[in-house]
Amino acid sequence: DHAQAADARLGIAWSALRQDRRDEARREFLEFARLFAGHAYAPDALGLAAEQSLRLDDDREAARQLLDGLVADHASHPRTEFARLNRAILMVRMGEARAAVPELRDWIARAPFPPLLGRAHAALGAALLATGAPAEAQRAFTLAQLEGVGPLAALGLGSVGLLQQQWDAAAGALTEARDGGTPAIVAAAEYGLAVVGFHKGARGDFKTPALAALAADPKGPGAPRLLYALVGVAVEARDWPGALDLARRLVTEFPADGAADDALERVGSAA
C-alpha cells in the first residue's frame, strides 16, 4: 500500500527486461497491469508483456489475446498503435495473412509512427506473398527497402523472384539478403539460392538447405513440395532407399496432396 509500490513493481519488470530475462519481465509486466489496472502505464505494461511473448515465440495465442485486449480496451492510447502493428505481424505468422493485409494497409496509410513504416511494408509484403499476390508484394518490399529495411526486404524481393521464376533477379536479391542478414534471414536466403540452383541444374546442392527447411517446418504448407523435390534429387543420385523413404513420408504425412502418388511413381519408374 506504499505510494510508490506501483513504480517499484514496474521497475522490477524493467530491470528484468534490461537484463534480457524476458520470461520474468513478461510475468512482472502482467502482474503490474493486473494489480494497477487503472495506472497510466498499464497499457504500456500489457504491450511490453505481449512483445516478450512474441520474442520468446512460445505462446502466440497468449500474445494475440493480450494484443486484442489492449486494442479493445485502450484504443485511444498513443502506444496502442504499436500493438496494432504487432498484432497484424502476428496474424501473418499465425497463417492469417489474408486478414492481416487490410490491417497493415490501414496502419501504413495512417503512418502513426514513421520509423516503423519500413517494417510495416515488409510485413505487408510477406502477407501479400502468402495470399498469392507477388506483384503487389514486390511493391511493398521495394517500399520497405526505401524505408531502410535492408536484408529482410531483399529476402522478400528474392522470394518474389522465385515465384515469378526470374532466377537471376532472385539470385541477386537473395545474395544481398544472405550477405547482410541475421542468422534466420541468412538461412532462408541460402535455401532460396539453392532453389535457384535447383532450377538451373545444380540439384545436388539443393539437398542440405531443403532438408534444413523441412526440419524447421515439417508440417508447413511447403513441406509436400519440398519432399517431392527431394525425392527427385534422390532419384537422380540413384539413392533408391532414400528416395523411397522420402516418397513414403510424403504419402503418409500428406496423403491428400497431389504429388503423393506421383512421388511413388517417380521412384518406381526410375528404378
Side-chain angles (χ1 to χ4, degrees):
D1 59 352
H2 194 282
Q4 291 182 312
D7 294 338
R9 184 168 289 278
L10 191 59
I12 291 170
W14 272 110
S15 296
L17 183 60
R18 295 292 189 190
Q19 295 174 9
D20 207 32
R21 303 198 307 274
R22 296 190 178 280
D23 194 44
E24 180 183 344
R26 175 176 55 183
R27 291 195 304 270
E28 293 294 346
F29 281 125
L30 285 173
E31 187 68 0
F32 173 87
R34 184 185 70 82
L35 292 173
F36 305 99
H39 197 284
Y41 289 152
D44 294 313
L46 288 172
L48 286 162
E51 185 174 319
Q52 303 326 302
S53 292
L54 291 174
R55 292 192 177 206
L56 291 164
D57 208 26
D58 61 349
D59 196 345
R60 293 180 178 182
E61 192 53 48
R64 175 67 176 272
Q65 291 174 9
L66 283 171
L67 292 169
D68 284 343
L70 183 54
V71 171
D73 298 339
H74 304 278
S76 60
H77 193 280
R79 282 180 288 281
T80 299
E81 292 294 354
F82 299 119
R84 289 189 174 95
L85 178 58
N86 278 339
R87 182 174 66 172
I89 293 173
L90 180 59
M91 289 166 70
V92 179
R93 291 167 61 184
M94 293 178 72
E96 301 173 29
R98 197 168 299 280
V101 168
E103 298 272 344
L104 288 163
R105 289 195 192 280
D106 175 69
W107 199 94
I108 289 168
R110 290 183 293 104
F113 190 68
L116 287 180
L117 264 178
R119 196 73 174 179
H121 281 301
L124 177 60
L128 290 166
L129 267 185
T131 56
E136 292 182 71
Q138 186 175 27
R139 288 194 291 272
F141 286 125
T142 300
L143 289 170
Q145 213 167 36
L146 292 172
E147 290 288 340
V149 178
L152 179 60
L155 180 64
L157 291 170
S159 301
V160 170
L162 291 178
L163 285 177
Q164 296 178 332
Q165 298 185 13
Q166 297 173 351
W167 309 124
D168 291 340
L174 291 166
T175 299
E176 180 184 342
R178 181 197 62 191
D179 292 347
T182 62
I185 289 176
V186 169
E190 286 180 342
Y191 169 71
L193 288 167
V195 172
V196 173
F198 181 89
H199 285 282
K200 288 189 168 185
R203 303 199 172 189
D205 296 339
F206 177 74
K207 182 178 179 179
T208 299
L211 286 172
L214 191 61
D217 195 10
K219 300 295 184 182
R225 290 300 179 267
L226 270 176
L227 284 167
Y228 185 69
L230 286 165
V231 167
V233 171
V235 165
E236 288 188 5
R238 304 179 70 81
D239 174 13
W240 308 118
L244 189 55
D245 285 347
L246 288 163
R248 282 176 174 158
R249 180 177 171 185
L250 177 53
V251 171
T252 302
E253 297 181 11
F254 304 96
D257 191 272
D261 55 350
D262 291 348
L264 287 172
E265 190 277 336
R266 190 172 189 179
V267 176
S269 295

